[in-house]
Amino acid sequence: MSRLTTVAALGTAQTLAWASSYYLPAMLAEPMALDLGMAPATVFAAFSVALIVSAALGPYAGRAIDRFGGRPVLIASNLVFAAGLAALGWADSTPQLFLAWAVMGIAMGSGLYEAAFATVVRLHGQEARSAITGITLFAGFASTVGWPASAALESHFGWRGACMAWAGLHLLIGLPLNACLPRLPRANAADAAAPAKPEPAALLSEAEARRAAFLMAYVFAVTWFISTAMAAHLPSVLQAAGVGFALAVSFAALVGPAQVAGRVLEFTVLQRLHPLLSARLAAMAHPLGAVAIGLAGAPAAAVFTVLHGAGNGILTIAIGTLPLLLFGSQGYGRRQGLLMVPARLVQAGAPFLFGLSLDRWGAGALWLSALLGLSACAALWWMPAGARSSPAGGAR
């Protein structure tokens, strides 16, 4: 299987995985709540449970990929996604809703970007950077596909039918795509857990490595907080800024193309810069967009959405490539899972916390996310760049 085919298969499967999980509540939370007789906040609380479960499972899934390769883990995630979505479609009570989202959390912890990134690192080692970028180019359309598709399915078949349809797509599309991935020999447990030898892109002192890990975990947490808050509330944010509902949904759908445009920019123009510099520039995009919509209101809604999407798209690549650049490829999956634990935990509270801010301050809640984005940019400036990494960050 060629690298391009692997990237296309993983990218398509990731588009499905993200559209049917992370981007599901924005369109289905209100009809779920109305049908089940609960507040929409309860549905988002159940979604938060899924993110907590995914945080707990991530390091174990990464370790399994380090040892066995990504194929069996990702195939299993499709089966669990299908089971979780079917359980959502059958839920008739609050406990059942929370249990279904907990099952979804198992799938999310073993089947989203971190698992896909660890899979290509296991396949290609230090040369995986371009594959990581390629996967994100495909999956950057997850919101563009997911939000309109979920809305259309809900309008024709109800929210239960929408969940069942997504479950079927995991079995009909996602599972065969992940089953096409190359089989890999089982790695030695010790080799999967720690580097066997120093790698050129991983030459940091012990103090630098500790500082890099701490700052990286913080940046990833802020990135996922903002991304999750916007995924759950972006149409509402735009409406609070004075945009009509239909136009708000249309503008929100620009996030996907903007993410892809940002990733193309990173892969072409920004590749001449050190990856840390491109990440710093990307971290400024959301705050700049928030300032624009804060000053101009509804006329700047499209500008805000495009800046947020482009910055988020580049930062998603950084989540996959910065650990590879600074720490090397050996034990990547487990290390990536550990670095993402704070991000997943912060994600769990993001829809609820940002929702409270939105209820209290309206579009002014964007000042909170803008300040967090600026703090992530500051953390990236303080992060060590690596002892012998090239300006382009090594292999792409």
Side-chain angles (χ1 to χ4, degrees):
M1 191 177 193
S2 70
R3 184 178 302 196
L4 179 60
T5 305
T6 299
V7 167
L10 277 171
T12 304
Q14 284 295 297
T15 302
L16 171 61
W18 282 92
S20 60
S21 60
Y22 183 80
Y23 292 110
L24 201 67
M27 292 294 108
L28 298 189
E30 287 195 12
M32 279 183 185
L34 183 64
D35 185 43
L36 296 174
M38 61 182 65
T42 303
V43 179
F44 283 111
F47 177 57
S48 296
V49 168
L51 296 172
I52 293 171
V53 172
S54 72
L57 185 67
Y60 298 99
R63 182 183 296 174
I65 292 172
D66 287 337
R67 193 163 188 189
F68 303 108
R71 183 177 180 274
V73 175
L74 290 171
I75 287 174
S77 76
N78 288 123
L79 296 173
V80 181
F81 268 127
L85 286 160
L88 273 178
W90 289 326
D92 283 320
S93 65
T94 300
Q96 290 176 4
L97 181 73
F98 275 77
L99 179 60
W101 273 111
V103 174
M104 289 289 287
I106 297 172
M108 293 165 72
S110 57
L112 294 182
Y113 270 151
E114 292 79 42
F117 295 162
T119 296
V120 294
V121 169
R122 179 74 165 80
L123 286 168
H124 304 298
Q126 201 67 30
E127 302 297 316
R129 185 176 181 84
S130 61
I132 289 173
T133 303
I135 291 168
T136 64
L137 284 173
F138 275 87
F141 288 106
S143 61
T144 304
V145 172
W147 281 337
S150 291
L153 288 168
E154 193 276 329
S155 68
H156 285 87
F157 308 109
W159 69 269
R160 296 181 187 276
C163 290
M164 293 300 183
W166 284 119
L169 289 172
H170 273 281
L171 299 177
L172 294 174
I173 297 177
L175 193 151
L177 286 172
N178 285 325
C180 289
L181 295 172
R183 298 174 184 268
L184 292 176
R186 179 172 175 170
N188 180 275
D191 291 341
K197 59 182 180 179
E199 297 185 49
L203 298 179
L204 295 175
S205 69
E206 185 175 346
E208 285 179 325
R210 282 196 302 268
R211 176 157 59 96
F214 175 81
L215 293 171
M216 208 176 289
Y218 177 78
V219 171
F220 294 173
V222 168
T223 298
W224 281 124
F225 179 91
I226 296 173
S227 178
T228 305
M230 293 301 105
H233 297 292
L234 183 55
S236 299
V237 169
L238 297 179
Q239 288 179 80
V243 180
F245 174 76
L247 200 55
V249 173
S250 299
F251 282 154
L254 292 174
V255 169
Q259 287 183 149
V260 172
R263 289 161 186 169
V264 171
L265 180 68
E266 196 276 344
F267 192 64
T268 53
V269 177
L270 296 181
Q271 70 174 328
R272 299 177 179 84
L273 307 177
H274 192 283
L276 272 174
L277 181 54
S278 64
R280 291 162 185 161
L281 294 174
M284 289 296 298
H286 179 88
L288 288 174
V291 169
I293 200 170
L295 295 177
V303 173
F304 165 71
T305 305
V306 169
L307 282 172
H308 165 72
N312 189 63
I314 296 172
L315 287 171
T316 302
I317 296 174
I319 285 172
T321 57
L322 285 181
L324 180 63
L325 170 71
L326 296 180
F327 301 118
S329 61
Q330 293 284 359
Y332 174 94
R334 177 176 177 273
R335 185 181 300 110
Q336 179 77 342
L338 291 171
L339 288 171
M340 288 300 294
V341 167
R344 293 298 187 195
L345 293 175
V346 167
Q347 267 190 305
F352 175 71
L353 293 174
F354 194 81
L356 288 178
S357 301
L358 191 59
D359 289 341
R360 182 164 185 174
W361 301 314
L366 285 174
W367 293 113
L368 170 63
S369 58
L371 289 173
L372 286 172
L374 289 174
S375 72
C377 186
L380 286 164
W381 278 102
W382 196 30
M383 193 177 295
R388 295 181 187 174
S389 39
S390 69
R396 279 186 175 265

